[in-house]
Amino acid sequence: MQDKKSFDFVRFVKSQMLLVAGIVIFLIFGMIEHSFFTQSNIINIFRQIAVIAVMGAGMTYAIIGGNFDLSVGSLLSLCGSVIIMSTNKMGPVAAIVFTLFVGCASGVVTGYICGYLHLNSMVATLGMMNVLQALTLLYSGGNFVSLDNPDIWIVAFGQGNLGIVPISVIVMIIFCVIYGIILTRTVYGHNVKAVGTNPMTCKYSGINDNWVVMTTFIMSGLATAVAAILLATRGGGAQPTMGLGYEFDVITAVILGGADLAGGEGSIYRTFVGALVIGIMKTGFVILGMSVYYQYIAECIIILIAVFLDLRAKGTVRKS
Amino acid sequence: MANTEYLLQMKNIVKTFPGVRALDGAAITVKPGEVVALCGENGAGKSTLMKCLYGSYHADEGEIIYMGQRVDFKTPDEGKEAGIIMVFQELSLIRDLTVAENMFLGSLPHKGFAVDWKKLNDDANAALDELNSSVRGTDYVRDLPISQQQMVEIARGVALGAKILILDEPTSSLTEKEVAALFEIIRKLKAQGVGIIYISHKMDEIFEICDSAVVMRDGKFTGQFVLKDITLDTLIQAMIGRTMDNYFTKANGVVGEEVLKVEGLSVPGVLKDVSFNVRKGEVVGFYGLVGAGRSETMEAIFGVRPYSAGTITLKGEQVKFKGSKEAVKKGIGFVTEDRKQTGLLLPKSCRENMALAALPNIKKGMFVDEDKTLEIYHKYEKIMDIKSPSPEQPIVLLSGGNQQKVIIGKWLCMGPDLVILDEPTRGIDIGAKSEIHKLVASLAEDGLAVIVISSEMPEIMGVSNRIYTMAAGRITAELSGDEITEENLMRNIMVGA
């Protein structure tokens, strides 16, 4: 009982510490630059993190399942071009369905390679990252693509508001809640955690571990497709390289959220808080007019601290 | 005060961890050339005592007198330096280095900056020769079977100048032939005056190779016995603090219809024409050497190992499972040989581990019914007397016996027709062993078909109603009733091996 309690306590404090750290960073930026505290800026932060949080929810599945998905940045680019170009061709509804399909299909391919062929996910998704980026450039002809009709209703996903709340933020919340419920409450979610902990035990316990690993990549691909719809409709168009570097932010969010990098543990809520911290920092650097290069350095330092704390927490568990 | 008759004396050792008094007046003495068994149930404090000896832990009270001097090693390296070598149950060799590199890791001989390979390999071979081992210094560890890896660990100890060698469950993964070779080495070391501390649960081995036995119970010293003066019963009684008139329990149920029938099962290079059947209400044993194909047979039935020929009939229906999922659905439970690798989710709780296979059945609407998983856990906790501080305790912190009970519970809560137990008592203390034997018998009496694989002869003889022997991928005999004798078993596992 005691062990479990102290263990949970560490986890709890750690996850809430991240929230506290986010608030402290927020206050520091706010004291330097008062416009940081304005309603529009706060809304802007949430709008900013919608993409990272949605993709992070998917990435959480992949990481809990014991893998990394480095292909999400390129997939974001691909799905961005797809949603814009197919909206122009077949209308918004068919375009949304098609984009989600592309996201899932990419997940099936990556998931098959990692789950059934048992290739190392780092290598496999690194390869997929290049393949998907190349596909994007081929598909879009390397051009910026934009909506023929910039006022079509689909732009509401990126630009619309319900009251003062952006629709993208509402989508993010609904999406994360659904992913969270699936992870914590369903048999499937339990199986993802079990497979990430020990796939062999699952293989011998009536769980199809290969299948479960594959589906975690589908969850990640689907999330990325949703994120692409939010991101591309925000500006009404898509650069073929719009997803460049997103995988780093997304993985950072999951790691900040304390997911076990070896698989088995993680939470959508904590990933969301991780995304929030990143959003606050990014917005802060922009508002302070600081170079984006500092932001890269800061993000790297934060990720190292998070991983260090993660190792420390595990060390404590092992000793007990 | 120093008594030179002894190589080692540990007296009145006390070690407390937060909330637990792990050692409470533990003691042991070792004379030069003596093999001392260290026995006790799991959790009795054997490992903790050894850790205090070689410097991994620091005893709170008590004294350690080693070679006439009071010592107090601060780190395992200090202990090693002084000649106290521990050979772990889980081998600690680096797979991708050669045997010689492993043996002298940290003290590789060198000429200038370059490793002196010739001297390294010569020294290693010399130590290996001394043990009559066929392993060479230039062999890669990854190419050696576990038994020879263990040999390398021992040779490393010898090369480092071991005066006391601690062997922790050294035979748990060895075949009988390999065990004999190991004993040969122990006798040789003994003749050289090395003191050996032999930790084991296997009573027959202890009586064969050891001179005396230290028994521990709940961190306390219960006695050090000269083995030739006592009987097995005395020793077991000292360990568990109660008499065990019925060490083994045989199922005495009503044998009913056939549950499983296997005909001509073959896996290229592994199994050849394996046929047998199991009926409701009986315990069927599978006995053979390691590698005879017992586990592989069960894996083929369970759907986790493809087979090239043969038919499997379960409850009158011919089946061929493509994965364990289907097998589980059809009512087969499989307690695997290697708990850590294929049986448990180590960091997860007891409750989660038990509910793992049954989750699809424990639903309220779309979601997992967590209250029900707790209910199930409590039910089997009571039936099997699982000792865990809480259902949420990470299972890695439980003793082997309790872990095994949780795994058995994982299958029982599915209401299976057939339960396969592969080495169900490996690495489990003697008290829990007997509980698991009783449990196996009661399962059969409740009408289940039970298969038990075991490499321990007394166990397989004690629990089975019928025994199939296997050798080199074939079934060599079917024994029941009076035919189940040590001679018959031994003869039939050697056929063609």
Side-chain angles (χ1 to χ4, degrees):
Chain A
M1 186 80 89
Q2 196 125 33
D3 281 319
K4 176 68 185 169
K5 264 191 181 162
S6 62
F7 171 66
D8 260 1
F9 185 71
V10 170
R11 279 279 187 202
F12 180 76
V13 167
K14 221 176 89 195
S15 64
Q16 300 316 307
M17 255 170 55
L18 181 64
L19 191 60
V20 173
I23 291 167
V24 169
I25 296 171
F26 180 74
L27 292 177
I28 291 172
F29 279 129
M31 279 186 291
I32 300 171
E33 177 58 61
H34 288 291
S35 67
F36 207 69
F37 285 144
T38 56
Q39 190 192 47
S40 70
N41 183 55
I42 292 167
I43 288 172
N44 190 37
I45 289 174
F46 277 93
R47 201 201 298 271
Q48 277 264 340
I49 67 164
V51 171
I52 299 174
V54 167
M55 288 167 79
M59 182 69 76
T60 305
Y61 276 79
I63 287 182
I64 292 176
N67 295 290
F68 282 95
D69 188 354
L70 300 179
S71 70
V72 293
S74 297
L75 184 59
L76 187 67
S77 300
L78 179 62
C79 290
S81 295
V82 167
I83 186 70
I84 298 296
M85 289 170 72
S86 52
T87 299
N88 290 344
K89 276 188 212 127
M90 25 190 204
V93 176
I96 289 171
V97 172
F98 183 55
T99 307
L100 299 181
F101 172 77
V102 169
C104 291
S106 163
V108 169
V109 173
T110 327
Y112 186 82
I113 294 171
C114 297
Y116 284 86
L117 305 182
H118 298 289
L119 257 69
N120 178 296
S121 66
M122 283 281 194
V123 179
T125 59
L126 197 62
M128 278 301 277
M129 178 168 140
N130 280 349
V131 170
L132 292 170
Q133 186 61 65
L135 283 179
T136 312
L137 291 165
L138 288 170
Y139 180 70
S140 65
N143 300 318
F144 174 81
V145 291
S146 58
L147 290 169
D148 294 341
N149 172 8
D151 296 324
I152 195 164
W153 62 265
I154 195 171
V155 298
F157 280 118
Q159 301 167 8
N161 290 297
L162 208 66
I164 57 161
V165 187
I167 289 178
S168 60
V169 173
I170 295 170
V171 171
M172 168 188 78
I173 290 168
I174 294 172
F175 191 84
C176 288
V177 166
I178 292 173
Y179 263 43
I181 288 175
I182 292 173
L183 184 61
T184 53
R185 312 261 328 254
T186 66
V187 174
Y188 169 70
H190 282 68
N191 286 351
V192 170
K193 289 185 178 180
V195 168
T197 307
N198 185 344
M200 285 310 287
T201 292
C202 294
K203 192 187 277 308
Y204 282 87
S205 298
I207 295 166
N208 189 339
D209 57 320
N210 296 347
W211 165 257
V212 170
V213 168
M214 183 167 97
T215 57
T216 60
F217 284 97
I218 299 175
M219 294 300 271
S220 175
L222 178 65
T224 304
V226 170
I229 295 171
L230 300 182
L231 185 59
T233 54
R234 192 189 299 167
Q239 282 287 357
T241 54
M242 77 173 193
L244 204 66
Y246 262 92
E247 64 279 341
F248 187 73
D249 286 344
V250 171
I251 292 175
T252 306
V254 179
I255 294 174
L256 281 179
D260 188 335
L261 293 182
E265 250 338 300
S267 119
I268 306 288
Y269 162 71
R270 291 201 301 260
T271 297
F272 171 77
V273 177
L276 188 60
V277 170
I278 294 173
I280 291 169
M281 285 196 20
K282 277 186 186 290
T283 318
F285 278 114
V286 172
I287 285 199
L288 295 188
M290 282 167 78
S291 158
V292 72
Y293 304 131
Y294 285 113
Q295 181 192 314
Y296 290 151
I297 296 169
E299 219 176 308
C300 182
I301 291 170
I302 284 180
I303 203 168
L304 290 178
I305 292 171
V307 172
F308 176 71
L309 289 176
D310 186 52
L311 282 178
R312 271 251 309 249
K314 267 184 229 148
T316 334
V317 174
R318 224 169 263 148
K319 267 174 224 147
S320 63
Chain B
M1 189 179 109
N3 190 337
T4 47
E5 189 199 344
Y6 293 109
L7 189 54
L8 170 75
Q9 284 176 288
M10 293 181 83
K11 290 181 197 162
N12 207 14
I13 306 291
V14 175
K15 173 79 192 167
T16 32
F17 294 109
V20 199
R21 207 171 170 86
L23 293 177
D24 188 6
I28 187 169
T29 65
V30 183
K31 293 178 202 161
E34 188 186 25
V35 183
V36 182
L38 183 55
C39 345
E41 300 192 46
N42 281 345
K46 293 169 299 194
S47 312
T48 313
L49 181 64
M50 288 302 105
K51 284 180 178 164
C52 288
L53 170 59
Y54 70 78
S56 182
Y57 290 159
H58 188 82
D60 301 337
E61 286 173 41
E63 56 177 357
I64 304 172
I65 299 164
Y66 173 60
M67 293 176 56
Q69 301 222 314
R70 203 176 158 158
V71 293
D72 185 11
F73 301 122
K74 303 259 180 333
T75 65
D77 284 340
E78 283 185 31
K80 208 192 253 180
E81 198 99 324
I84 297 176
I85 308 289
M86 175 97 189
V87 175
F88 291 94
Q89 197 173 350
E90 272 132 41
L91 301 176
S92 56
L93 297 176
I94 300 169
R95 290 171 50 78
D96 291 327
L97 293 182
T98 66
V99 168
E101 286 173 291
N102 265 291
M103 283 170 65
F104 294 96
L105 203 62
S107 54
L108 292 176
H110 51 83
K111 283 184 200 148
F113 288 113
V115 173
D116 185 349
W117 289 102
K118 188 170 171 346
K119 182 168 166 30
L120 174 66
N121 289 326
D122 287 349
D123 288 356
N125 288 339
L128 291 161
D129 284 339
E130 213 168 309
L131 301 177
N132 287 344
S133 170
S134 61
V135 178
R136 294 293 80 190
T138 46
D139 291 345
Y140 278 92
V141 167
R142 58 169 182 258
D143 299 329
L144 301 177
I146 291 188
S147 58
Q148 296 202 327
Q149 290 187 24
Q150 199 154 33
M151 218 66 89
V152 173
E153 291 241 23
I154 294 171
R156 171 162 70 179
V158 174
L160 290 171
K163 301 215 170 50
I164 290 191
L165 195 62
I166 307 165
L167 301 173
D168 188 1
E169 295 273 356
T171 60
S172 58
S173 47
L174 300 191
T175 61
E176 306 216 356
K177 215 185 267 175
E178 291 165 342
V179 171
L182 175 69
F183 285 1
E184 210 43 54
I185 291 170
I186 291 178
R187 293 197 183 96
K188 191 164 259 185
L189 293 172
K190 196 172 137 85
Q192 293 169 7
V194 176
I196 293 167
I197 299 175
Y198 190 94
I199 304 175
S200 180
H201 291 306
K202 297 186 183 166
M203 293 299 137
D204 46 343
E205 288 177 5
I206 289 175
F207 275 91
E208 186 182 341
I209 194 72
C210 300
D211 302 304
S212 68
V214 169
V215 176
M216 292 182 71
R217 197 167 68 221
D218 304 327
K220 293 188 181 69
F221 173 79
T222 343
Q224 181 155 6
F225 305 93
V226 176
L227 283 165
K228 61 177 194 289
D229 298 343
I230 62 161
T231 63
L232 176 62
D233 284 340
T234 323
L235 193 59
I236 291 177
Q237 205 174 326
M239 283 167 61
I240 59 176
R242 59 180 183 265
T243 37
M244 291 187 80
D245 0 275
N246 213 346
Y247 180 43
F248 291 109
T249 325
K250 206 172 266 215
N252 192 12
V254 188
V255 177
E257 77 262 31
E258 192 172 70
V259 173
L260 176 74
K261 186 185 178 100
V262 174
E263 286 170 300
L265 188 68
S266 297
V267 175
V270 183
L271 297 178
K272 239 183 191 164
D273 198 21
V274 171
S275 302
F276 65 92
N277 70 341
V278 186
R279 289 165 298 183
K280 218 169 134 91
E282 65 173 348
V283 178
V284 174
F286 275 77
Y287 186 66
L289 298 172
V290 172
R294 299 167 299 167
S295 306
E296 290 79 359
T297 305
M298 302 311 152
E299 285 170 2
I301 295 167
F302 199 57
V304 289
R305 179 183 285 274
Y307 54 96
S308 55
T311 57
I312 296 169
T313 315
L314 188 69
K315 290 180 284 175
E317 182 192 347
Q318 195 173 321
V319 292
K320 178 159 188 161
F321 301 126
K322 279 197 244 36
S324 65
K325 194 172 181 175
E326 298 172 37
V328 170
K329 248 188 215 155
K330 290 280 184 188
I332 304 181
F334 188 9
V335 178
T336 55
E337 183 181 6
D338 190 337
R339 276 197 297 281
K340 282 185 184 159
Q341 298 298 328
T342 56
L344 296 170
L345 303 174
L346 286 172
K348 302 286 184 195
S349 70
C350 301
R351 177 179 61 80
E352 287 170 285
N353 268 285
M354 193 180 280
L356 182 64
L359 280 181
N361 306 337
I362 315 177
K363 280 196 294 193
K364 201 197 260 169
M366 288 164 64
F367 301 127
V368 172
D369 186 349
E370 304 285 357
D371 295 340
K372 186 90 180 291
T373 64
L374 193 62
E375 229 170 77
I376 289 173
Y377 176 77
H378 281 310
K379 180 177 163 196
Y380 287 96
E381 180 187 34
K382 207 180 258 172
I383 292 176
M384 292 190 285
D385 191 26
I386 297 170
K387 289 191 189 74
S388 167
S390 133
E392 303 306 328
Q393 177 89 342
I395 198 151
V396 64
L397 300 176
L398 261 55
S399 72
N402 284 310
Q403 289 179 348
Q404 195 70 307
K405 288 178 186 172
V406 171
I407 297 178
I408 294 174
K410 169 167 91 178
W411 297 116
L412 293 188
C413 72
M414 310 275 301
D417 300 301
L418 170 69
V419 176
I420 303 166
L421 301 114
D422 192 352
E423 301 285 1
T425 63
R426 170 170 290 175
I428 285 177
D429 66 70
I430 199 153
K433 251 184 184 177
S434 133
E435 287 179 56
I436 288 187
H437 293 144
K438 284 204 186 91
L439 188 64
V440 167
S442 73
L443 294 181
E445 280 163 14
D446 290 345
L448 267 69
V450 182
I451 294 176
V452 174
I453 296 178
S454 176
S455 299
E456 284 182 51
M457 193 182 276
E459 175 171 275
I460 206 81
M461 290 175 71
V463 301
S464 315
N465 300 115
R466 212 152 44 95
I467 297 178
Y468 288 98
T469 55
M470 288 189 79
R474 294 166 188 272
I475 300 249
T476 51
E478 177 188 350
L479 306 170
S480 59
D482 294 343
E483 296 163 355
I484 303 180
T485 63
E486 294 188 17
E487 295 74 28
N488 272 343
L489 286 172
M490 198 44 96
R491 208 176 44 240
N492 284 304
I493 63 166
M494 296 302 186
V495 184

